[in-house]
Amino acid sequence: MIEKSLNKPNVIFILADDLGYSDIGCFGSEINTPNLDSLGNNGILMTQMYNSARCCPSRASLLSGLTPHQAGVGHMVENLGTHNYQGYLSDNCVTIAECLKDSGYQTFMSGKWHVGGHEDIQDLSKWRPGEKGFPTPKQRGFDKFFGTLTGAGNFYNPPTLMLEDKFIQVESTDFHYTDEISNHAVRMLNEKNSDPFFMYVAFTAPHWPLHAWEEDISKYEGKYRKGWSQTRMDRYEEMRGKVLDPKWKLTKEDPATPDWDGIKNKDWEDLRMATYSAQIEQMDRGIGKIIDKLKSIGEFENTVIMFAADNGGCAEFLAEDTNQPNPNQFNNPGPDGKKVNFGNIPNLRPGPADTFMSYDLPWANLSNTPFRLFKRWVHEGGISTPFVIHWPDKISSHNVVNEPVQFADISPTILDICGSAYPNTYNGNEIIPVEGESFANLLKGQKFSKDKPLCWEHEGNRAVRVGDWKLVSEFPGPWELYNIAEDRSETNNLINKEKEIASDLEKKYGEWAKRCGVLDWPIRVDDESTRKIYSMNKNEVGLDPNITPLEIEEERRYKRKPPNENNITVRGMRYSK
């Protein structure tokens, strides 16, 4: 239960990057996350928190309390020429930091921004941080900032690294971005004054590349030698009755997942997952440093700590802001100047600064246990996140909450518990009314359910949920209908049996999409009739005819098939050669 207090609470929101639903201990993982587990086991586990399926849209919605489209980030960080797809936070939205700053809060950010436009990350001279189209945290309400503007890169030498409002360079060989994100968060706590504070800690772990310290990797080496199928079953059994209803089935493995017995490089596959696990343990250790600092300064009891992930486990590789692999964007050397070996190269040990690998689709399928599909999709595997809330002063006992909520609800919830208002205007701009709904009552042990439907759209993947019913479509396929209370794993499609329910949900989705400015996919944004982000021709951004001949694009992009000697992996998909 929550009791009223005259002292305003501090808030720390911690965001992991590309972490799947089952990737932390208190949600069923074998990965060592003692600090997150302690927060979860002494706080609230929310089992049906939903993100927005991908990095930038989730961050925009989280920070603004709006849908990604309303906040200006309807796709990614490329400016597609319309307000809802401009690729950076709109002037017609207001961030949590801006609201709380006006309420007397100090505001700090450490980590990944990725809602402030985009340029070539290999050429910082093209970036114009702070100018129109390139807002930084300092322009959007944060008093202090350490982190990166872009979405991914070498953990030992991250591109677009900034301190406050200036680009900085890594100058040592013992730098690791995950450690520095937590170190700078601790430093900000050391330097704070007596006012309450809001801190946003946005890790890039465990997003690719697989960069972790060798001593952490060695702890997990050999643990995954049993393969992805058995590990997935083990997690499922651990989750049942805790964060999963026992009647929910374990989905079949993704069709692009090869049989473990036929894998030639088992030790290397084991190492890839071991390195991914090491990235998560390293992040958890950094969270422990923040907790220790809160305790040492007497702020732990009155600090709300929330933890989530921006999307489900990631099956793709080298395609962060694009729809095709683009290694040139990440081709910067490590801090020691060594050339980086790009790609998932069998028998090359992942982890060091001169490697650049991912854990690939089968392990991502494990991360999203028991669900199907991945980051970018709006089936449960793409949008379900573990969610932890810890607040010792007000939450007196552990609880598991199953009420569905989503990222747009987080901002109004934080403003609610901090006693801050959401403005109608800000800096002379009309502010779009908040889309999310405060779920603060859930923290009090009271009932809460959303008045509005939960809706999603990303790259034509669409979904709407009202109560127990969810209508969902994987682009360019038809609608599917599931009763989530009975079948959250989305294994029993009821679209032909419950046509009235499906029709009503489709109507609600259409009303939401129209109100929030969602454009049909593919989006055609012409610049002198040459610039398009998706169309069936060679000018398309995100489709390289040299890799993907047009006549078989649909088969290779949307019909996932196991790998063999005649196909390759692109964007996490198995494509014919």
Side-chain angles (χ1 to χ4, degrees), residues 436-454:
E437 303 171 48
S438 171
F439 55 83
N441 279 348
L442 291 176
L443 280 62
K444 306 173 186 177
Q446 299 175 5
K447 290 185 178 180
F448 165 81
S449 60
K450 283 178 66 68
D451 293 328
K452 299 174 183 176
L454 288 82

Side-chain angles (χ1 to χ4, degrees), residues 13 18 39 101 417 468 520 542:
F13 195 96
D18 289 11
L39 295 176
K101 189 172 182 178
I417 63 180
D468 294 337
D520 289 338

Side-chain angles (χ1 to χ4, degrees), residues 313-577:
C314 176
E316 67 203 42
F317 183 40
L318 293 174
E320 176 62 9
D321 297 304
T322 59
N323 286 333
Q324 68 181 32
N326 187 5
N328 289 333
Q329 276 288 290
F330 307 102
N331 192 21
N332 56 313
D336 55 4
K338 285 185 179 179
K339 179 182 177 182
V340 174
N341 296 295
F342 274 97
N344 292 325
I345 304 169
N347 298 319
L348 180 64
R349 190 175 181 89
D354 60 352
T355 65
F356 207 101
M357 301 188 195
S358 73
Y359 72 160
D360 216 341
L361 183 148
W363 292 122
N365 202 187
L366 163 66
S367 288
N368 298 334
T369 303
F371 308 127
R372 61 187 174 97
L373 290 174
F374 314 95
K375 170 184 178 178
R376 292 186 188 239
W377 284 269
V378 296
H379 284 71
E380 295 292 291
I383 57 176
S384 299
T385 172
F387 193 67
V388 174
I389 305 177
H390 183 269
W391 188 7
D393 260 0
K394 307 301 177 187
I395 300 175
S396 58
S397 59
H398 172 65
N399 195 14
V400 177
V401 174
N402 300 313
E403 190 65 34
V405 291
Q406 60 189 147
F407 266 27
D409 302 319
I410 291 170
S411 171
T413 301
I414 291 175
L415 300 185
D416 191 357
I417 63 180
C418 294
S420 181
Y422 189 90
N424 296 319
T425 61
Y426 190 82
N427 284 343
N429 298 304
E430 294 291 325
I431 298 301
I432 299 169
V434 66
E435 183 74 13
E437 303 171 48
S438 171
F439 55 83
N441 279 348
L442 291 176
L443 280 62
K444 306 173 186 177
Q446 299 175 5
K447 290 185 178 180
F448 165 81
S449 60
K450 283 178 66 68
D451 293 328
K452 299 174 183 176
L454 288 82
C455 296
W456 299 264
E457 188 279 334
H458 186 70
E459 294 191 344
N461 300 308
R462 304 168 292 163
V464 54
R465 178 174 172 183
V466 176
D468 294 337
W469 291 99
K470 179 182 176 186
L471 190 70
V472 60
S473 170
E474 176 189 357
F475 182 81
W479 286 113
E480 305 162 18
L481 180 68
Y482 300 99
N483 184 319
I484 297 299
E486 297 296 320
D487 176 32
R488 192 177 174 197
S489 303
E490 299 169 318
T491 60
N492 183 23
N493 184 5
L494 300 173
I495 192 71
N496 293 321
K497 294 182 179 180
E498 301 288 354
K499 293 184 179 180
E500 288 188 12
I501 293 174
S503 178
D504 181 62
L505 288 174
E506 184 175 12
K507 180 181 178 183
K508 285 182 168 59
Y509 174 83
E511 291 169 348
W512 170 85
K514 182 178 181 180
R515 180 171 57 81
C516 295
V518 178
L519 299 180
D520 289 338
W521 189 268
I523 301 170
R524 300 174 185 273
V525 181
D526 293 331
D527 180 4
E528 297 178 352
S529 301
T530 61
R531 186 181 183 191
K532 302 177 186 297
I533 74 159
Y534 188 83
S535 62
M536 298 305 287
N537 65 56
K538 66 181 180 180
N539 291 324
E540 171 192 333
V541 176
L543 178 64
D544 183 347
N546 295 321
I547 298 176
T548 57
L550 298 177
E551 64 271 14
I552 52 175
E553 167 65 4
E554 181 176 339
E555 174 187 351
R556 297 187 302 174
R557 192 178 184 104
Y558 302 111
K559 298 179 181 178
R560 294 174 299 282
K561 297 182 178 181
N564 57 52
E565 66 275 9
N566 295 317
N567 60 37
I568 56 176
T569 299
V570 177
R571 194 190 162 201
M573 304 301 161
R574 306 298 180 180
Y575 284 4
S576 302
K577 288 183 179 178

Side-chain angles (χ1 to χ4, degrees), residues 266-367:
K266 288 186 173 67
D267 289 339
W268 177 69
E269 288 287 4
D270 165 74
L271 266 173
R272 288 209 284 173
M273 186 61 199
T275 308
Y276 178 84
S277 299
Q279 288 181 291
I280 294 172
E281 179 171 333
Q282 184 180 2
M283 176 184 67
D284 182 84
R285 188 165 59 239
I287 293 169
K289 293 179 182 178
I290 296 170
I291 292 170
D292 288 345
K293 175 51 62 175
L294 290 172
K295 290 178 178 178
S296 73
I297 62 177
E299 296 284 9
F300 182 65
E301 302 295 320
N302 192 38
T303 297
V304 184
I305 300 177
M306 299 181 178
F307 173 85
D310 62 349
N311 44 250
C314 176
E316 67 203 42
F317 183 40
L318 293 174
E320 176 62 9
D321 297 304
T322 59
N323 286 333
Q324 68 181 32
N326 187 5
N328 289 333
Q329 276 288 290
F330 307 102
N331 192 21
N332 56 313
D336 55 4
K338 285 185 179 179
K339 179 182 177 182
V340 174
N341 296 295
F342 274 97
N344 292 325
I345 304 169
N347 298 319
L348 180 64
R349 190 175 181 89
D354 60 352
T355 65
F356 207 101
M357 301 188 195
S358 73
Y359 72 160
D360 216 341
L361 183 148
W363 292 122
N365 202 187
L366 163 66
S367 288

Side-chain angles (χ1 to χ4, degrees), residues 82-351:
T82 67
H83 171 272
N84 288 24
Y85 293 82
Q86 65 187 20
Y88 60 91
L89 287 178
S90 167
D91 290 338
N92 301 112
C93 76
V94 61
T95 68
I96 302 172
E98 287 168 332
C99 289
L100 290 182
K101 189 172 182 178
D102 283 357
S103 299
Y105 274 71
Q106 303 163 87
T107 54
F108 311 130
M109 180 181 172
S110 184
K112 171 176 168 176
W113 182 231
H114 210 200
V115 285
H118 183 70
E119 273 293 351
D120 183 354
I121 64 176
Q122 294 299 318
D123 186 356
L124 293 182
S125 67
K126 294 182 178 180
W127 288 75
R128 302 181 300 281
E131 295 184 18
K132 182 70 174 178
F134 296 88
T136 71
K138 298 280 285 187
Q139 278 80 50
R140 296 310 312 244
F142 289 96
D143 296 321
K144 294 186 177 182
F145 170 57
F146 165 83
T148 46
L149 300 182
T150 192
N154 193 311
F155 280 80
Y156 302 98
N157 188 22
T160 71
L161 185 64
M162 297 189 81
L163 181 61
E164 306 304 350
D165 54 3
K166 296 185 183 301
F167 287 120
I168 59 173
Q169 298 292 325
V170 174
E171 296 180 348
S172 67
T173 56
D174 61 353
F175 179 102
H176 192 291
Y177 192 28
T178 300
D179 292 339
E180 291 306 312
I181 288 172
S182 52
N183 289 343
H184 277 266
V186 169
R187 189 172 303 165
M188 292 170 188
L189 292 176
N190 274 329
E191 296 172 352
K192 76 173 192 67
N193 60 34
S194 60
D195 293 333
F197 65 85
F198 168 67
M199 175 177 283
Y200 176 37
V201 183
F203 288 99
T204 52
H207 194 296
W208 48 262
L210 295 173
H211 281 167
W213 299 121
E214 178 60 32
E215 55 265 33
D216 288 326
I217 299 171
S218 63
K219 298 176 189 176
Y220 294 93
E221 190 170 358
K223 183 180 285 289
Y224 298 101
R225 197 62 169 68
K226 58 188 174 182
W228 35 69
S229 303
Q230 184 58 53
T231 310
R232 191 168 179 259
M233 178 62 72
D234 292 345
R235 285 195 184 183
Y236 174 64
E237 292 300 331
E238 181 66 24
M239 298 168 80
R240 295 180 71 202
K242 297 177 181 178
V243 295
L244 293 181
D245 190 313
K247 65 175 171 283
W248 295 340
K249 296 178 181 179
L250 177 65
T251 55
K252 293 180 180 179
E253 289 183 311
D254 192 272
T257 299
D259 184 75
W260 180 257
D261 291 338
I263 294 296
K264 296 179 181 179
N265 301 296
K266 288 186 173 67
D267 289 339
W268 177 69
E269 288 287 4
D270 165 74
L271 266 173
R272 288 209 284 173
M273 186 61 199
T275 308
Y276 178 84
S277 299
Q279 288 181 291
I280 294 172
E281 179 171 333
Q282 184 180 2
M283 176 184 67
D284 182 84
R285 188 165 59 239
I287 293 169
K289 293 179 182 178
I290 296 170
I291 292 170
D292 288 345
K293 175 51 62 175
L294 290 172
K295 290 178 178 178
S296 73
I297 62 177
E299 296 284 9
F300 182 65
E301 302 295 320
N302 192 38
T303 297
V304 184
I305 300 177
M306 299 181 178
F307 173 85
D310 62 349
N311 44 250
C314 176
E316 67 203 42
F317 183 40
L318 293 174
E320 176 62 9
D321 297 304
T322 59
N323 286 333
Q324 68 181 32
N326 187 5
N328 289 333
Q329 276 288 290
F330 307 102
N331 192 21
N332 56 313
D336 55 4
K338 285 185 179 179
K339 179 182 177 182
V340 174
N341 296 295
F342 274 97
N344 292 325
I345 304 169
N347 298 319
L348 180 64
R349 190 175 181 89

